[in-house]
Amino acid sequence: MTIGWDLGGVHVKVALVEDGRVVAAAQVPCPLWQGLPALDRALEAAPDWARGAALHAVTMTGELTDCFADRRDGVAALSGWAESHLAGTVRIYAGRSGFVAPEAAASLSADVASANWHATAALAGRVVPDALLIDIGSTTADLIPIVGGRPAATGYSDAERLETGELVYTGAVRTPVIALSGHAPFAGRRTRLMTETFAHMADVYRILGLLPEGADQQPSGDRKGKTVAESETRLARIVGRDRAEAPASAWTALAAHFAEAQLRLLHDAAAELLSRPDLGADAPLVLCGAGAFVGARLAERLGRPATPLVALLAARIAGARDGISTCGPAVAVGLIAAEEAVA
């Protein structure tokens, strides 16, 4: 049995692999900025099988969380936590350097830090040799070229991929709407926005009826409920209004404006990457993440064929597909580690 882990700063994702096939996957909230005890609570909230003895393959993005002094400190802390809390053998995914022992992870922190994208792209490349991986999560989007069956990102670190457009810091849940636009059309005028984090993209996609069940696992901006009406209330504040000042259709139109702004941002990044000479005109998009539905809209706009990651892995999935797309990196390190263990 192999268990794949993606230790993030907001969620922990975990996938169970048995006999080379994914049996289950789950995501649990983990506000890591509160400190390492958040990981203890996440482990407790995870399915029972996550606490079982296994080969544990771990990737991470939580090392950038501000509770750590720097990324090396974060890699050391997360690797140490995994070694002390997970039953069985623990291996840390170091991307281009492969799997390493937990005690070696800090010395390879530049390879370990936020290498979860590399695992997903490496797995997808075994099925589709040339493609653009689009992994849109709750907070960020990874756009990773796959060429010749291997990850072919120009950047590697977060800083490098921000420069190359392979990391777009926008997601389907946690991104504040004010990060996407400084103004919006409303009531026949172009209005400036209140630069407050009243509303997030989870509110936008909830209003539009697109937010997948279970995708929004963190508190809302006002720490209140998550009905459509409550999302409309939060969105209204961005334009200095109360929800009662306009009909539901007005809030739907405003939500659509922010969804379009996010799609434009992703479109520009994807179009630049797809212009690379080593990616053919027929290279498909491989979609995963909590925001895979945004990826589907992106593929339609780009005129490219799109394949969900779960469809690529159909032969390697035993049971329900629930959670597998959202937990792509955990699934990837689990499957890759299981293959290497057999080899």
Side-chain angles (χ1 to χ4, degrees):
M1 187 167 71
T2 303
I3 298 176
W5 294 84
D6 184 6
L7 304 182
V10 180
H11 303 99
V12 164
K13 300 167 186 177
V14 58
L16 174 62
V17 177
E18 291 182 343
D19 299 323
R21 302 179 74 193
V22 184
V23 176
Q27 172 180 278
V28 293
C30 179
L32 189 55
W33 59 87
Q34 296 175 359
L36 280 177
L39 280 173
D40 298 341
R41 295 190 294 271
L43 180 60
E44 197 172 302
D48 289 343
W49 49 259
R51 294 181 290 276
L55 167 60
H56 295 272
V58 179
T59 186
M60 64 184 70
T61 60
E63 79 288 333
L64 60 80
T65 309
D66 48 14
C67 67
F68 302 122
D70 53 30
R71 282 175 168 75
R72 181 186 175 95
D73 178 45
V75 166
L78 294 179
S79 299
W81 179 89
E83 185 175 33
S84 62
H85 286 76
L86 303 181
T89 301
V90 174
R91 303 292 287 174
I92 307 298
Y93 187 69
R96 56 195 174 190
S97 295
F99 286 99
V100 300
E103 60 270 20
S107 64
L108 289 167
S109 60
D111 291 346
V112 173
S114 296
N116 63 347
W117 61 270
H118 189 283
T120 312
L123 180 66
R126 299 181 182 189
V127 186
V128 181
D130 297 288
L132 182 64
L133 172 69
I134 306 288
D135 183 352
I136 302 175
S138 64
T139 309
T140 63
D142 292 310
L143 289 76
I144 309 300
I146 299 169
V147 178
R150 302 175 64 84
T154 303
Y156 188 90
S157 68
D158 284 344
E160 292 169 349
R161 293 191 304 118
L162 284 169
E163 293 172 353
T164 62
E166 293 159 340
L167 171 61
V168 182
Y169 227 89
T170 192
V173 179
R174 298 184 64 247
T175 300
V177 298
I178 55 167
L180 296 166
S181 180
H183 48 76
F186 190 80
R189 294 185 177 182
R190 177 70 58 171
T191 179
R192 290 287 174 183
L193 306 179
M194 291 189 170
T195 52
E196 300 281 357
T197 54
F198 291 135
H200 296 76
M201 290 309 291
D203 294 307
V204 164
Y205 291 123
R206 185 177 294 112
I207 292 169
L208 296 176
L210 298 173
L211 188 68
E213 185 72 27
D216 184 9
Q217 295 187 331
Q218 295 294 332
S220 62
D222 58 5
R223 300 300 192 267
K224 294 182 181 177
K226 296 180 179 179
T227 64
V228 170
E230 287 165 315
S231 285
E232 290 174 346
T233 295
R234 289 187 284 269
L235 193 63
R237 291 193 178 108
I238 289 293
V239 290
R241 307 269 182 161
D242 291 328
R243 174 174 174 263
E245 293 182 51
S249 59
W251 307 125
T252 299
L254 184 58
H257 165 77
F258 290 111
E260 171 64 19
Q262 185 173 65
L263 193 58
R264 287 177 190 168
L265 186 64
L266 293 166
H267 176 273
D268 288 348
E272 182 176 344
L273 294 170
L274 288 168
S275 73
R276 287 175 39 156
D278 55 353
L279 273 179
D282 58 347
L285 305 189
V286 175
L287 309 179
C288 64
F293 66 95
V294 180
R297 298 180 68 204
L298 177 62
E300 183 178 356
R301 174 169 292 197
L302 290 165
R304 292 271 179 161
T307 304
L309 180 66
V310 291
L312 290 183
L313 300 179
R316 305 189 65 180
I317 298 173
R321 297 183 176 186
D322 296 347
I324 290 177
S325 177
T326 299
C327 301
V331 169
V333 291
L335 284 171
I336 292 171
E339 287 180 2
E340 293 190 5
V342 171

